Amino acid sequence: QRANYAWTHPIMSTFSVLLNIHLISIALSVGLLTLRFWWRYTDSRLACARWTRIVPPVVDTVLFIPREALKFE
């Protein structure tokens, strides 16, 4: 029987989780930036919506935290 590698090496599991959170945050950040640019380009009302001013800094903070944690892995 093969041992489950993630359970026998918790550091690798932590690294994988942090890396995945970081990569997903990158995708969200780029996607939101592109979407906000398109909304401004087309003069959409969504460009001035409250959530479009709140969500990007939250995503960038989530992007920053795993990056700093990965430095210590």
Side-chain angles (χ1 to χ4, degrees), residues 3-55:
N4 186 348
Y5 191 76
W7 291 110
T8 57
H9 298 287
I11 292 175
M12 185 63 181
S13 177
T14 304
F15 177 80
S16 297
V17 169
L18 289 173
L19 185 62
N20 283 329
I21 291 171
H22 185 67
L23 293 175
I24 290 168
S25 299
I26 291 171
L28 284 173
S29 185
V30 170
L32 285 170
L33 180 68
T34 305
L35 189 61
R36 289 175 65 207
F37 170 78
W38 180 254
W39 285 340
R40 296 243 184 232
Y41 181 75
T42 60
D43 291 329
S44 174
R45 289 187 307 154
L46 290 171
C48 298
R50 186 169 187 247
W51 73 270
T52 60
R53 293 188 315 268
I54 296 171
V55 172

